[in-house]
Amino acid sequence: MSPTSSTSDRMTVQEQVVSVMEEMQILGTLDKLIAASEHICIATPLGTGDFLADLQQAFRLNGIETCIKNALVLSRRRKNIKEEQEQLNYMRKAQTHFERRVSKALLNLQTDLKLSLVRQRSSSEAQELSSKWDELSTYDQDVGSIRNLYSSQDLYEAVVALRDPDYSINRLEEKWSAVKIPLNVPTFEDLQEFFSDVCTSVDPFLGLGSALVLQGNSNVTLLNHRITLGTKVVAENDILLSEEFVKGGCPSHLRGRLWKQVLLSHVGDKEKTYFQAKKQAVIQTEYLTDKIIMKDIQLTASRDEHYFVYEDLIYQVSLCFSRDPYVYLQLCSKFGSRAQTATRFTPLDVSSNGSKTGTVKADGDAPGGQTITTSAFPPSSCIPFYGWAMYVAPLCYVHEEAEDIYYTLRAMYIKYWSRLHRLSSHRQGIVSLAILFERLLQQQEPELWIHCLNNNIEPLRIAMPWMVQAFSGFLIPEQLLFLWDLILGFDSLLLLPLLAASVFSLRRENLHRILSHDSAETILSDLSTIQVVPLLQMALTQHTG
Amino acid sequence: MSRITYFTDMEKSVVTANFVKRGWTSATSDEDWNFYWANTQTCRSLFSAESSYRLGDYQLINHFPNHYELTRKDLMVKNIKRYKREQDKERETRERSQFNLEFVPVTFVLPADYNLFAEEYRRCPTCTWIMKPCGRSQGSGIFLVTKLSRIKKWSNEGNSASTYGRHAVQASSVGSGNPQQPAPPRESYVISKYIESPLLIGGKKFDLRLYVLVTSFRPIRAYLFRRGFCRFCSAKYDRSTHQMDNMLVHLTNVAIQKQGDDYNPHHGGKWSVEDLLFYVASHRGSDAAELLWQEICWVIGHSLKAVAPMMLSDPHCFECYGYDIIIDANLKPWLIEVNASPSLSTTTNTDHFLKLSLIDAILNVVLPPDGVPKCCLTHIFSKNFLYYRFSKFIYFQRQMEQTSVC
């Protein structure tokens, strides 16, 4: 691979070396790499040929070259990430307003139920929780009166209520779409180009059917072919290669390792210790959000016929996640420092027995080893909403151990899911996805759109939960994981509105026959027969108009 | 043939809905029926020597006359043991087949085989055994045993009239405190080696319920319904002695689990076999999942082959068996028992839909293309018909033929 590919900045080799080393410092792999290189230098026999070539060969064989390659890719990506300050005033105000509503609901809940926001558990309670850690589903937390703070319907209402003060809508436009702000979203042609690999890749996608037989070699099924290829890709540990492979669909038992490579969520001893520290944090202190999380799991994952067997794992991972300040810091650097609901609660005067003494600090260790204290509530700053547990549930099919699930969830949440319940003008935020969904449906199914308008059917209201939960809980696990493979491989959430619109296209004949919103919901309530990859291929190869 | 009439011994909505869908009507008392969804006793009495009733060409019934050869626990074990002996003799000189015929846990009938059992027990004194009454269902009367003295106590209770009532109730009560009917004296029991390391998912034990439709035993024509399900215990699996009597940990029957505190009616502890295989493929590899499914099919196939010589393969009959299979931690399936009347009551929506489509698929296979119940042609239907009705069933008669050749 040539060290300078076609990106905008032309760095000298010197600068690249520096950036690679910085990146490795951040990843924590620099020391290991230096040690391994030294070892190889000593061990490589001094032949009579070109020493440099021999050394390069040795580096390649030992994976050092791939390490450096990965670091270069990551450092370049890191430089391209800019802090996303919300440029649009009205959007910023709307998000702040939404956050305020949520925190108000939380405080109301607190006062209604006379619980404290944070309190230390007594030693007997802590012991009980510790002993029941592996069967939290039976730990009685009296969550009967807990209300969920918000759901995707509330997000729908918020998105639909957005108005740009500089943009006046005429009466026709008012009725046409649910979302009435003029954000720039990709066109269908842009999507076709961006996702062209879905339709025209060399190997068929695994989501088309694992028993498919390859052209030219009828002895080998697609699944076996992907397994052979995948095993090699996993061994290489090259980020770009893994991403490219994941696009085509992962064989089930390689998925865990491939996702770890793409998301950089490897679990070593340090990660395991960190997870244990979070577990201790859960056992020692109780947050009001714990009860909300538990209630949400009871209502969603524990009732789901695909995921109920994993409910204990989901409890563990969700509770530990809420104590992780690393999430808060990452989200702050992503969305801007004052962006989190957490700040509403500073300075928050709570203490273990209700008297006002001072702010609560949640300690945490970043992987680099520094101690962070935040005053976010909860420490991860993620306030759970109805359906949050569904981000965790499908990961139980990918990994077996709680730590693996935890780190994959964390990486996916920071990278993708956090955008799905945040009002912003970002291209992949839920607002843009909603607009994209409506535009796609209008463009591909104009008759259906008119039919919906005439009968007061609101397609976005139905599609919103699908997009907010990234289809988790709606598709069957196998198909859902193919969809998440695509999201990871293409690094884009734009597939969500595309899939949502194509489901509507698929059921258009039935939809044409019904005359009310409730019947439309019924028709679209069961997505268990949807096959993601064929549907997306069909959607992307449609001609417009 | 103007109207097609049906008759049922019990009211099951999933069954009658499928009949009504086909335009059939319920047979009146003076009419003869075309299709009889019977329970096992009425079927036996219909075919018994005393009965003068002869079934006509246009009548079908949903049980074989001597299905108990497969569905009674002691007879099933006897038949399979005999089959194994026969197969082993055949293979003495040839190489063993790929499939190991040890798919039923070591079992003895009590009190008849007590001495054999005692000998086996002494070879492994730390093993746990499970006692099951031969003729009962829904997990009633089952208990676990670790000491020979427990057996002696049980046999004394069964025979002695004075201690009969109280101790027998204790012996057969369910962990959650629901007293069962006291065991009648001298009821025969089977005792099997308990599978102490079942495959645990989420820390809980489960078993598989698979539906197998058999339309004939000579030749064997069997169909496996694709949508089986796993029944989970609601309590975490615990091998310790103080949980030996807690049936919520050890028995997966829905009738028992329903009584537990942690029973969740939304999913009813039922997980689809599809999800199970996806789980195994994700964590153990797709080869392991494929192999597991193959082995399950072989277990079913061999069990049918074992009883085929004993069964009266009456052309008026077909039967849908409920196979209970447990998978151990090494991914080996064990046949626990076969039910002649698998439960058709439904606990959740998915369950309802599953059983509805099960009966629908059964009727599609059993009836000729014109939909009129007709018996004598069931075993010579054209290949087209069998393959046409294929969609929901796997057809593995060919595999049967292969095993008898090799």
Side-chain angles (χ1 to χ4, degrees), chain A residues 134-135 138 223 227 252-253 255 302-303 305-306 308-312 396-400 477-478 481, chain B residues 201-202 204 232 236 262 264 266-267 269-272 274-275 278-279 281-287 350:
Chain A
D134 285 322
E135 38 178 2
T138 56
L223 179 63
I227 291 178
S252 327
H253 74 282
R255 185 173 271 129
S302 287
R303 287 189 184 179
E305 57 184 2
H306 297 293
F308 71 90
V309 296
Y310 304 116
E311 53 184 354
D312 296 321
C396 300
Y397 280 102
V398 181
H399 297 297
E400 256 190 295
E478 191 187 11
L481 291 174
Chain B
I201 297 185
K204 295 179 181 142
F232 273 81
K236 287 244 196 265
D262 294 317
N264 187 328
H266 287 96
H267 48 71
K270 293 181 180 168
W271 207 40
S272 72
E274 214 177 44
D275 283 338
F278 188 54
Y279 168 90
S282 303
H283 297 309
R284 313 271 191 121
S286 34
D287 287 339
T350 315

Side-chain angles (χ1 to χ4, degrees), chain A residues 429-448:
Chain A
I430 190 68
V431 182
S432 305
L433 295 182
I435 297 178
L436 182 57
F437 165 73
E438 293 202 306
R439 299 250 173 96
L440 284 172
L441 200 54
Q442 287 158 1
Q443 200 178 25
Q444 305 300 331
E445 303 288 335
E447 287 147 1
L448 185 59

Side-chain angles (χ1 to χ4, degrees), chain A residues 308-464:
Chain A
F308 71 90
V309 296
Y310 304 116
E311 53 184 354
D312 296 321
L313 266 179
I314 298 174
Y315 275 103
Q316 290 178 5
V317 171
S318 307
L319 288 173
C320 288
F321 184 85
S322 70
R323 300 290 194 279
D324 194 348
Y326 178 77
V327 178
Y328 170 57
L329 289 172
Q330 289 296 309
L331 292 180
C332 272
S333 63
K334 193 167 163 154
F335 297 132
S337 43
R338 276 202 59 79
Q340 297 306 301
T341 310
T343 58
R344 299 279 159 272
F345 289 94
T346 58
L348 183 64
D349 300 326
V350 288
S351 81
S352 54
N353 43 20
S355 63
K356 301 183 190 281
T357 46
T359 54
V360 172
K361 294 228 186 316
D363 293 343
D365 291 326
Q370 321 103 309
T371 315
I372 328 162
T373 54
T374 74
S375 40
F377 180 87
S380 67
S381 79
C382 299
I383 306 245
F385 59 91
Y386 177 75
W388 198 95
M390 298 313 284
Y391 290 140
V392 191
L395 298 177
C396 300
Y397 280 102
V398 181
H399 297 297
E400 256 190 295
E401 298 293 324
E403 289 97 350
D404 294 323
I405 298 176
Y406 181 77
Y407 283 98
T408 304
L409 167 71
R410 198 169 81 165
M412 287 187 96
Y413 185 80
I414 293 171
K415 218 172 172 193
Y416 302 113
W417 309 149
S418 49
R419 294 202 190 280
L420 292 175
H421 40 270
R422 209 194 140 69
L423 302 173
S424 82
S425 57
H426 189 265
R427 282 208 127 192
Q428 295 187 22
I430 190 68
V431 182
S432 305
L433 295 182
I435 297 178
L436 182 57
F437 165 73
E438 293 202 306
R439 299 250 173 96
L440 284 172
L441 200 54
Q442 287 158 1
Q443 200 178 25
Q444 305 300 331
E445 303 288 335
E447 287 147 1
L448 185 59
W449 188 261
I450 305 263
H451 173 82
C452 292
L453 278 186
N454 291 337
N455 291 287
N456 293 324
I457 301 170
E458 298 163 280
L460 182 60
R461 192 187 279 274
I462 302 175
M464 192 63 120

Side-chain angles (χ1 to χ4, degrees), chain A residues 173-283:
Chain A
E173 257 184 305
E174 179 86 36
K175 287 191 63 177
W176 185 242
S177 300
V179 188
K180 301 174 182 46
I181 48 174
L183 280 186
N184 199 6
V185 293
T187 61
F188 181 63
E189 287 74 25
D190 292 336
L191 289 181
Q192 275 182 317
E193 201 187 306
F194 188 69
F195 294 116
S196 60
D197 278 348
V198 175
C199 303
T200 59
S201 67
V202 175
D203 280 342
F205 275 45
L206 196 55
L208 287 177
S210 43
L212 273 186
V213 159
L214 293 184
Q215 271 178 349
N217 186 355
S218 56
N219 283 333
V220 183
T221 60
L222 179 59
L223 179 63
N224 286 334
H225 172 74
R226 292 293 289 180
I227 291 178
T228 337
L229 209 54
T231 327
K232 288 189 206 154
V233 171
V234 169
E236 279 289 314
N237 199 7
D238 181 338
I239 293 184
L240 293 178
L241 197 60
S242 303
E243 278 174 7
E244 198 58 38
F245 183 78
V246 162
K247 268 186 213 176
C250 306
S252 327
H253 74 282
L254 293 176
R255 185 173 271 129
R257 279 174 280 174
L258 283 165
W259 282 19
K260 276 190 190 174
Q261 289 179 354
V262 172
L263 291 168
L264 299 170
S265 58
H266 299 281
V267 176
D269 292 326
K270 229 192 308 185
E271 282 79 19
K272 289 193 184 157
T273 332
Y274 188 74
F275 183 72
Q276 289 303 317
K278 297 303 134 239
K279 173 179 162 187
Q280 284 310 312
V282 174
I283 292 178

